[in-house]
Amino acid sequence: MSENGARPHNYGRHADFEPGEEPRRKRRRRQEDEFRPYRGEQYYDLPVVKSSPWGWLITSYFFIGGLAGASQMIAAIADLFGGPTQRPVVRTGRYLAFMGTLISPVLLILDLHTPARWYNMLRIMRRTSPMSIGSWVLGAFGAASGIAAVTQLLRETTGTTRFSTVERAAGLAGAATGAAMATYTATLLSSTSTPLWLTASRQLPILFGSTATASAIAAIDVTLAMMPSHAAHRRPLSILALVAAAVQWWSARGMEQSWTESGVEVPGKDRTLHMVDTILVKGAGIYTPMLAHSLALMSGRAPGPFGPIASLATLIGSFAERWLIVKAGNRSADIPADYFRISQPASDSEAETR
Amino acid sequence: MSALFPQFVPERARDTSGPIENESEISAGVRIEPGKQYGFFTDTTLCIGCKACEVACKEWNVLPAEEMKLTGNSYDNTGALGATTWRHVSFIEKIKDPDSEPVTAMLPFQSNWLMLSDVCKHCENAACLESCPTGALFRTEFDTVVVQQDICNGCGYCVPACPFGVVAINNVDGKAHKCTFCYDRLKGGLEPACAKSCPTNSIQFGELSELKERAGRRLGSLRDRGVDGAYLYGIDEGSGTTGGIGDLHAFFLLTDRPAVYNLPSAPSLPSRRIARGMLTGLGTMAAFAVAAAVAFFDQKSRPSLT
């Protein structure tokens, strides 16, 4: 386009603010926690992208589907490595997973705006759509969990061992698909144009995976505590719960840093969301089980009533975390400054100064 | 008009007893054939904000009116694209000059007003289409993107997926909706309703390659006349085409930064984040599986505490 003459403005390939408005060198030296608000132009403060129409049904599915997936995985590992003392963990994990597969599709179908057409999810397989991938993962997981639960029930009621190979194989298939169940929902969220989800694409799968694991352990623990014949050795579950809580804390911290670095308004800015995050997600969901399981492991004794209480707190925290992520994400889509901030050309702000 | 000025009406359009075949040849100078790429070139320097496109779109597609309200945002009482609004004219009154002095006199170019008729971009790589789990969203033989209303089950994933905030769910019928590029009209040899109704030719319909050339010529002409800030949004690897989205089949000639028109400078294609996310997730769970195996194995050699 040489015949067009000089191009004093090159808006077509430039950022939405003058370089002078925000000195580049200074920004490279910024503190990690420094919030970088968008200072460019906006259109009457109106949203640029649309927020998802998802609410408590999807939140519940994220919680229950993740719990079910991780339960099946823990059950399979306990089956392979746990020995006789861990049999209650295996059977509880399998039944929990199966219950999850019964509830999950109901939640998902109810959330559709045209529920009668739920079967259209089975029309295609699309690898560019995490929701399509997830539908098939849920289908496979449901089938495997169903077979595992039914063969287990047959063995327990009739005493037959004819299906024990099928049972174990189905359990393993359920564990593999369960691992996907526990984490694909994070990718489903970050593969959108919602600022809060998009900018956490690295940490969200780790957070969802660890939360699913923590909630599965908690659910197994609570179920075992309610049963009189409960004799499972608690130590492995306590160790796992401690690891899961630590990973949760670590990935949540990374996620919050990522939000701050990319200039996205963190949920903590809103009073309600901040309270949910501090009290339920962190307090009940992470710190309580951390404390309870550390004490139990250090004392070398069974945690007594504190075990189930900590597990209940974990479950509440896990649900609150999914709720918080969905809710805060939907809010962030309505903040035009956040979307403008994250959709600035990288060449202007980052690459040139590298 | 044909009765008053028969000389202005092409020969084959004078028979009004039935539809005119390939009408777009007369109205837009292009024949519509399957297998070719069609698009919109929206030249905002020609827009006068009459909203004829909004009305034509609603009329042709039988879209209901929105709730009437005054937004206070200049003449933009439409607000945004939505399930029943597939053209949206934005109005920007640049009442301040770049040095923050209030403008007291009308500037010669566009009187300091910017107007843009926004529409679905019909992206080369469309996030809505990629995210759709039912295949309701598909690419037509004219290389446009359409929601099949008899397939969509209203899962809502295309809504947050779109990098331009175009698609929306209608709670009345429970389906996702957006501009269809007048798929039915294209099939019948008619140019889209909005382009046909545009009185200043701000919205131009045509074959994509031809539109791009036309846009380049218009840009050159504007630059020659001193409109230095003019640029094309959505083609030539410029703004709007970033992050794997590719050319926008509805592209724009703008004279201010994208954000002024509520358009993102460098959006990205959501599906680009899938592979890494899935692998991270499965890796996390694999790590937990190993940790669980160690924990379970470890306790076998210990005496039971219960």
Side-chain angles (χ1 to χ4, degrees):
Chain A
M1 291 195 195
S2 55
E3 77 273 17
N4 299 337
R7 304 177 68 174
H9 300 290
N10 192 7
Y11 297 146
R13 283 180 179 78
H14 267 66
D16 281 317
F17 44 83
E18 296 284 358
E21 286 174 44
E22 203 175 23
R24 289 175 194 171
R25 302 241 172 266
K26 196 174 173 185
R27 205 164 81 204
R28 289 307 294 175
R29 272 189 262 114
R30 70 182 185 262
Q31 291 286 311
E32 260 193 357
D33 292 338
E34 186 191 337
F35 181 66
R36 299 184 296 144
Y38 173 80
R39 271 173 281 173
E41 284 124 326
Q42 291 180 33
Y43 185 75
Y44 302 111
D45 208 19
L46 291 172
V48 191
V49 287
K50 290 195 163 44
S51 57
S52 85
W54 303 325
W56 69 270
L57 283 165
I58 291 296
T59 305
S60 308
Y61 167 68
F62 284 179
F63 172 69
I64 288 169
L67 192 157
S71 289
Q72 194 68 273
M73 200 185 81
I74 290 166
I77 304 288
D79 183 29
L80 289 180
F81 300 99
T85 56
Q86 296 299 321
R87 293 321 294 176
V89 173
V90 180
R91 70 184 293 271
T92 312
R94 281 191 185 148
Y95 285 140
L96 279 174
F98 181 59
M99 275 162 62
T101 65
L102 294 180
I103 302 168
S104 295
V106 176
L107 293 172
L108 288 178
I109 290 169
L110 284 177
D111 186 71
L112 295 178
H113 287 76
T114 309
R117 288 187 185 171
W118 63 270
Y119 53 82
N120 278 354
M121 293 291 188
L122 312 174
R123 274 182 87 235
I124 57 164
M125 278 175 142
R126 189 167 266 174
R127 63 188 168 81
T128 55
S129 169
M131 195 182 277
S132 179
I133 298 171
S135 303
W136 290 102
V137 164
L138 176 61
F141 176 71
S145 300
I147 294 169
V150 168
T151 46
Q152 177 171 272
L153 189 70
L154 275 175
R155 180 171 50 75
E156 284 174 353
T157 49
T158 66
T160 175
T161 52
R162 273 170 62 192
F163 304 111
S164 56
T165 318
V166 178
E167 187 186 324
R168 181 163 280 183
L172 282 174
T177 45
M181 279 289 292
T183 52
Y184 91 86
T185 47
T187 308
L188 186 147
L189 290 183
S190 52
S191 300
T192 61
S193 296
T194 297
L196 200 82
W197 299 336
L198 187 164
T199 49
S201 65
R202 276 173 196 279
Q203 300 86 6
L204 216 49
I206 307 176
L207 181 70
F208 272 32
S210 52
T211 311
T213 308
S215 61
I217 297 162
I220 292 172
D221 187 46
V222 170
T223 316
L224 287 178
M226 286 190 299
M227 292 194 298
S229 61
H230 148 239
H233 198 308
R234 297 291 267 291
R235 194 179 153 83
L237 283 186
S238 278
I239 294 174
L240 256 189
L242 203 55
V243 173
V247 176
Q248 262 180 289
W249 178 84
W250 171 73
S251 53
R253 190 165 166 271
M255 183 171 71
E256 280 154 19
Q257 271 175 2
S258 173
W259 286 336
T260 314
E261 277 170 28
S262 43
V264 174
E265 189 180 296
V266 292
K269 238 189 152 187
D270 177 85
R271 217 187 131 102
T272 317
L273 297 185
H274 181 70
M275 297 275 272
V276 170
D277 187 32
T278 314
I279 300 170
L280 295 180
V281 178
K282 301 251 167 61
I286 299 179
Y287 299 136
T288 309
M290 261 187 181
L291 190 70
H293 292 295
S294 312
L295 286 175
L297 285 172
M298 281 192 294
S299 67
R301 278 177 291 145
F306 292 112
I309 288 171
S311 293
L312 276 176
T314 308
L315 291 173
I316 292 167
S318 306
F319 181 83
E321 183 206 277
R322 309 298 169 104
W323 180 86
L324 181 79
I325 297 281
V326 172
K327 184 86 176 169
N330 286 342
R331 285 173 59 102
S332 92
D334 288 338
I335 306 171
D338 284 5
Y339 188 64
F340 281 137
R341 161 63 73 196
I342 62 161
S343 58
Q344 291 302 316
S347 57
D348 265 34
S349 52
E350 306 290 332
E352 280 178 22
T353 48
R354 235 168 235 157
Chain B
M1 174 146 145
S2 59
L4 284 170
F5 306 104
Q7 67 273 27
F8 292 149
V9 180
E11 185 65 38
R12 67 191 177 83
R14 288 182 197 167
D15 176 16
T16 51
S17 62
I20 305 162
E21 242 178 79
N22 292 313
E23 196 211 64
S24 71
E25 279 185 338
I26 301 166
S27 69
V30 58
R31 195 189 183 100
I32 301 165
E33 290 166 330
K36 290 185 174 171
Q37 293 186 311
Y38 295 91
F40 287 132
F41 165 42
T42 305
D43 183 348
T44 63
T45 59
L46 295 178
C47 185
I48 54 169
C50 70
K51 302 192 193 181
C53 49
E54 284 189 20
V55 177
C57 176
K58 290 235 176 207
E59 287 289 331
W60 179 264
N61 295 297
V62 205
L63 298 171
E66 311 295 329
E67 198 183 333
M68 298 272 275
K69 62 181 187 301
L70 293 173
T71 59
N73 302 334
S74 187
Y75 283 62
D76 181 3
N77 291 319
T78 310
L81 293 171
T84 54
T85 303
W86 302 345
R87 271 279 177 189
H88 161 228
V89 181
S90 29
F91 292 77
I92 301 107
E93 298 180 38
K94 297 190 73 185
I95 51 168
K96 284 187 173 181
D97 74 6
D99 301 324
S100 282
E101 291 288 322
V103 174
T104 49
M106 287 292 197
L107 292 193
F109 181 68
Q110 290 190 315
S111 312
N112 260 21
W113 276 60
L114 301 177
M115 296 145 197
L116 170 143
S117 177
D118 199 11
V119 69
C120 169
K121 319 298 182 287
H122 296 273
C123 312
E124 191 173 312
N125 299 310
C128 57
L129 190 157
E130 290 192 338
S131 68
C132 179
T134 64
L137 272 149
F138 81 118
R139 191 167 292 280
T140 71
E141 64 269 40
F142 308 111
D143 227 2
T144 54
V145 180
V146 174
V147 191
Q148 299 174 83
Q149 292 304 313
D150 53 341
I151 304 286
C152 177
N153 64 11
C155 75
Y157 196 23
C158 52
V159 177
C162 176
F164 302 101
V166 172
V167 200
I169 295 264
N170 185 347
N171 286 321
V172 176
D173 72 349
K175 318 280 187 301
H177 297 271
K178 71 172 195 68
C179 161
T180 67
F181 213 94
C182 282
Y183 188 34
D184 49 351
R185 288 177 64 95
L186 294 192
K187 287 229 174 208
L190 298 153
E191 69 171 312
C194 53
K196 189 172 181 188
S197 72
C198 182
T200 62
N201 229 10
S202 170
I203 303 171
Q204 300 176 31
F205 164 78
E207 252 191 83
L208 198 59
S209 52
E210 203 277 318
L211 282 182
K212 284 179 185 173
E213 283 173 29
R214 205 189 296 176
R217 285 198 299 275
R218 171 67 179 168
L219 187 65
S221 153
L222 282 172
R223 291 257 175 80
D224 289 345
R225 284 182 275 166
V227 188
D228 297 323
Y231 67 100
L232 296 175
Y233 178 92
I235 56 165
D236 297 340
E237 288 166 9
S239 280
T241 64
T242 46
I245 293 172
D247 280 357
L248 309 181
H249 290 194
F251 62 98
F252 302 85
L253 190 154
L254 307 178
T255 54
D256 209 329
R257 294 184 184 86
V260 172
Y261 303 89
N262 223 18
L263 294 168
S265 279
S268 61
L269 194 61
S271 66
R272 287 263 174 117
R273 293 181 278 276
I274 295 176
R276 198 186 61 193
M278 290 290 184
L279 288 176
T280 308
L282 291 177
T284 305
M285 293 312 282
F288 277 119
V290 171
V294 170
F296 284 124
F297 194 74
D298 165 66
Q299 63 86 39
K300 268 209 294 198
S301 54
R302 290 167 183 270
S304 176
L305 291 176
T306 40

